[in-house]
């Protein structure tokens, strides 16, 4: 990026002649944001076109000036998108870069574009538009991910697998039930981004520097032109609010936690010790010296994304926590974190969607693991309460004794004989064997939201209807 002498002159003229000379190199470096806020170019140009059209409609500038501004901004947009735009650090930010180039193209009418607004409400509008677009992208990404998880759940609605607590075998569940747990998590993420989008969908444009403007502007018109629901009701709040960015980052952080948890399970499940799933070659890498290795690198990288996304969230909270109203230059530090977090969230969502779509679950291995580790012990305790009339605490103790006996014999609970069980408690009858198999266990969990296959299929149908 090269600064032309006229850029420094333009920068000084935009400051209204208050400064006789341009900032020195260090001040320019700390003050300029063009290296990152150039990403707001489309939103900046869209906001400026809406503002110019409103100014003309209100009789504040002429129709001919508004037309020249609108056409000139389209030229600027084209130059940026084709890589022909001369970005300049001396002009500090995307707003002044666009306006200076507009002046090069259309001349004197460009100076009327900034009537009735400030860079404060301009950047607040641009940034809000950009974050709103990212909410839309996250919503679309989450919908695709949920569909991939639903497909996995549907294919394995009745495939038994071990359910874990403390990463120890707890009770049998189904593959479909486990996948649907992530559908619920990502569904909450979906609702958070939708809620955040709804709250941020108010326009700051027209708040000017902090107090509004004396020009007879029409804020309802610019809000409508930019697809906002309404103008923001307080000009101080409009230029100083970054709740929309914080809420986006908070939602992104929670979503990244969910992605990380699923990634962790994929890393564990794809290991030689578990062999629950196989990752496709698209999402795995090999080792430079160990030819047998298939490393789940994509899952591991997604697992790590929470670090930078949560870091961005903490960074922006820290920037905003002590700022007096209204605008302070600290708020220039609001964008890089959001840009980075949004980029990596979208990358992680796309990668996880791809991994789930290509993932192969090992049904036989899942069932074998589900049958080990005394996973039906709770079913036995429940049967003792229901059928033998024991209090649950007594049933828990009897079941623990039977588990100890099975461990001593080197077998699982269903492999104990009826006489073995009756030696521990004579109230046990042959009917106990109807609950000890893993398929019987999952089929019995008929409570709403339980792991029974028909419950799982009902939840799959509900989510398909939600997404439709």
């Amino acid at each position: 990026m090269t600064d032309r002498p006229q850029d420094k002159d333009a920068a000084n003229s935009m400051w209204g002649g208050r400064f006789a000379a341009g900032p020195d190199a260090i001040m320019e470096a700390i003050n300029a944001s063009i290296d990152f806020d150039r990403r707001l170019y489309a939103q900046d140009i869209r906001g400026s076109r809406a503002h110019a059209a409103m100014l003309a409609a209100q009789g504040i500038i002429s129709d001919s000036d508004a037309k020249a501004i609108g056409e000139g901004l389209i030229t600027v947009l084209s130059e940026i998108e084709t890589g022909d735009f001369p970005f300049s650090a001396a002009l500090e930010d995307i707003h002044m870069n666009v306006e200076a180039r507009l002046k090069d193209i259309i001349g004197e009418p460009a100076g009327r574009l900034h009537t009735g607004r400030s860079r404060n409400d301009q950047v607040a509008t641009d940034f809000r538009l950009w974050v709103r677009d990212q909410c839309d992208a996250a919503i679309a990404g989450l919908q695709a991910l949920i569909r991939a998880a639903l497909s996995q759940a549907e294919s394995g609605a009745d495939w038994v697998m071990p359910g874990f607590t403390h990463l120890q075998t707890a009770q049998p569940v189904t593959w479909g039930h486990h996948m649907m747990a992530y559908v619920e998590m990502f569904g909450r993420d979906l609702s958070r981004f939708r809620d955040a989008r709804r709250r941020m969908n108010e326009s700051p444009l027209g708040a000017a520097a902090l107090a509004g403007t004396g020009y007879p502007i029409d804020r309802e018109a610019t809000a409508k032109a930019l697809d906002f629901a309404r103008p923001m009701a307080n000009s101080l709040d409009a230029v100083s609010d970054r709740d929309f960015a914080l809420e986006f980052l908070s939602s992104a952080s929670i979503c990244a936690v969910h992605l990380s948890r699923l990634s962790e399970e994929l890393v564990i499940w794809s290991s030689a010790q578990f062999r629950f799933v196989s990752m496709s070659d698209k999402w795995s890498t090999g080792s430079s010296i160990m030819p047998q290795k298939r490393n789940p690198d994509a899952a591991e990288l997604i697992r790590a994304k929470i670090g930078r996304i949560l870091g961005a969230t903490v960074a922006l909270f820290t920037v905003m926590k002590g700022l007096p109203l209204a605008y302070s230059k600290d708020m220039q530090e609001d964008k890089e974190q959001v840009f980075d977090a949004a980029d990596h969230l979208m990358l992680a969502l796309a990668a996880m969607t791809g991994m789930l779509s290509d993932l192969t679950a090992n049904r036989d291995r899942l069932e074998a693991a589900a049958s080990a580790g005394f996973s039906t012990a709770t079913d036995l305790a429940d049967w003792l309460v229901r059928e033998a009339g024991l209090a649950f605490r007594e049933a828990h103790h009897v079941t623990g004794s039977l588990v100890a006996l099975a461990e001593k014999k080197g077998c699982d609970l269903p492999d104990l004989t009826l006489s073995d069980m009756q030696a521990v408690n004579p109230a046990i009858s042959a009917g106990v064997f109807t609950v000890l198999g893993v398929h019987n266990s999952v089929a019995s969990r008929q409570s709403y939201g339980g792991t029974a296959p028909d419950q799982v299929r009902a939840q799959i149908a509900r989510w398909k209807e939600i997404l439709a």
Side-chain angles (χ1 to χ4, degrees):
M1 180 166 53
T2 303
D3 295 330
R4 304 162 296 176
Q6 63 265 36
D7 292 339
K8 295 183 183 293
D9 294 340
N12 289 333
S13 67
M14 288 184 179
W15 284 115
R18 167 66 178 81
F19 300 93
D24 63 24
I26 295 175
M27 181 58 191
E28 182 177 290
I30 197 172
N31 197 46
S33 58
I34 189 59
D35 283 345
F36 55 86
D37 71 13
R38 66 173 65 185
R39 293 182 64 161
L40 300 176
Y41 74 88
Q43 291 79 16
D44 190 72
I45 290 170
R46 184 184 178 192
S48 290
R49 293 186 72 211
H51 184 67
M54 179 275 295
L55 291 176
Q58 293 298 104
I60 299 170
I61 65 173
S62 68
D63 289 340
S64 60
D65 281 349
K67 182 180 179 183
I69 289 168
E71 291 175 352
L73 287 170
I74 292 296
T75 300
V76 173
L77 179 64
S78 177
E79 288 180 351
I80 295 174
E81 290 180 340
T82 58
D84 297 326
F85 187 87
F87 287 106
S88 167
L91 294 171
E92 295 185 19
D93 56 32
I94 187 61
H95 325 295
M96 293 176 73
N97 269 265
V98 168
E99 188 173 333
R101 181 60 183 147
L102 181 65
K103 185 176 181 181
D104 291 342
I105 296 169
I106 69 171
E108 189 263 345
R112 297 190 177 93
L113 171 59
H114 212 51
T115 306
R117 74 174 183 186
S118 161
R119 279 200 301 178
N120 292 355
D121 63 332
Q122 187 179 0
V123 68
T125 302
D126 294 356
F127 194 26
R128 194 174 285 253
L129 286 170
W130 192 91
V131 174
R132 190 180 70 181
D133 289 343
Q134 294 307 301
C135 281
D136 290 339
I139 288 166
L142 280 162
Q143 288 171 331
L145 177 56
I146 289 170
R147 288 189 179 96
L150 283 173
S151 180
Q152 285 285 347
E154 192 165 29
S155 67
D158 57 356
W159 297 6
V160 291
M161 67 174 288
F164 297 96
T165 60
H166 309 279
L167 204 56
Q168 306 293 315
T169 298
Q171 295 176 263
V173 296
T174 62
W175 174 256
H177 192 57
H178 201 110
M179 287 294 102
M180 289 304 295
Y182 284 104
V183 169
E184 292 294 329
M185 291 185 210
F186 295 132
R188 291 192 295 274
D189 294 326
L190 188 65
S191 68
R192 270 184 282 272
F193 282 111
R194 283 174 170 161
D195 288 346
R197 189 197 193 283
R198 176 179 52 81
R199 268 185 292 277
M200 72 178 64
N201 200 31
E202 297 182 341
S203 175
L205 192 57
L210 76 163
T213 178
Y215 292 100
I217 62 171
D218 184 350
R219 294 192 62 208
E220 293 282 353
T222 50
K224 183 177 180 180
L226 297 173
D227 297 319
F228 285 115
R230 63 192 68 83
M232 294 185 74
N234 183 281
S235 59
L236 282 168
D237 181 49
V239 298
S240 63
D241 169 52
R242 293 297 183 270
D243 288 1
F244 64 94
L246 290 168
E247 193 164 4
F248 172 81
L249 288 175
S250 299
S251 300
S253 293
I254 298 172
C255 182
V257 167
H258 295 154
L259 289 166
S260 182
R261 294 184 72 180
L262 178 52
S263 295
E264 171 72 1
E265 296 209 306
L266 294 180
V267 170
I268 293 171
W269 290 347
S270 63
S271 68
Q273 290 73 25
F274 274 74
R275 293 184 287 112
F276 284 2
V277 300
S278 295
M279 312 272 280
S280 79
D281 291 342
K282 294 178 184 177
W283 307 104
S284 307
T285 64
S287 165
S288 61
I289 64 170
M290 294 172 284
Q292 84 281 9
K293 294 291 291 299
R294 180 193 288 268
N295 298 324
D297 283 7
E300 291 170 352
L301 289 166
I302 294 172
R303 184 175 60 186
K305 294 299 182 188
I306 179 59
R308 64 194 305 154
I309 294 172
L310 182 59
T313 307
V314 173
L316 186 54
F317 269 101
T318 305
V319 167
M320 296 302 299
K321 72 174 183 61
L323 296 185
L325 296 179
Y327 181 84
S328 298
K329 193 69 169 181
D330 310 51
M331 292 165 72
Q332 183 168 289
E333 295 296 314
D334 59 359
K335 297 172 194 65
E336 284 185 278
Q337 293 91 350
V338 179
F339 293 160
D340 186 78
D343 288 347
H344 287 277
L345 175 68
M346 292 310 303
L347 184 60
L349 285 171
M352 183 58 78
T353 301
M355 277 195 298
L356 279 189
S357 298
D358 292 343
L359 191 71
T360 300
N362 185 341
R363 181 178 185 177
D364 292 341
R365 178 62 184 162
L366 289 168
E367 183 164 342
S371 301
F374 311 107
S375 63
T376 57
T378 303
D379 298 274
L380 173 55
D382 288 342
W383 185 90
L384 290 168
V385 171
R386 254 189 346 262
E387 304 297 331
L390 275 63
F392 183 79
R393 287 301 172 198
E394 184 183 358
H396 187 283
H397 177 77
V398 169
T399 301
S401 299
L402 290 171
V403 167
L405 178 61
E407 284 180 326
K408 183 177 180 180
K409 286 179 169 285
C411 65
D412 206 347
L413 286 172
D415 302 317
L416 292 174
T417 66
L418 180 60
S419 60
D420 287 335
M421 295 187 187
Q422 288 177 335
V424 174
N425 189 296
I428 298 175
S429 68
V432 72
F433 292 101
T434 64
V435 300
L436 291 183
V438 291
H439 288 282
N440 292 334
S441 174
V442 298
S444 71
R445 306 294 174 180
Q446 291 285 349
S447 57
Y448 179 81
T451 193
D454 54 349
Q455 283 292 325
V456 172
R457 292 187 179 103
Q459 294 302 324
I460 292 169
R462 179 178 71 89
W463 267 102
K464 284 184 173 181
E465 186 175 329
I466 290 170
L467 291 177

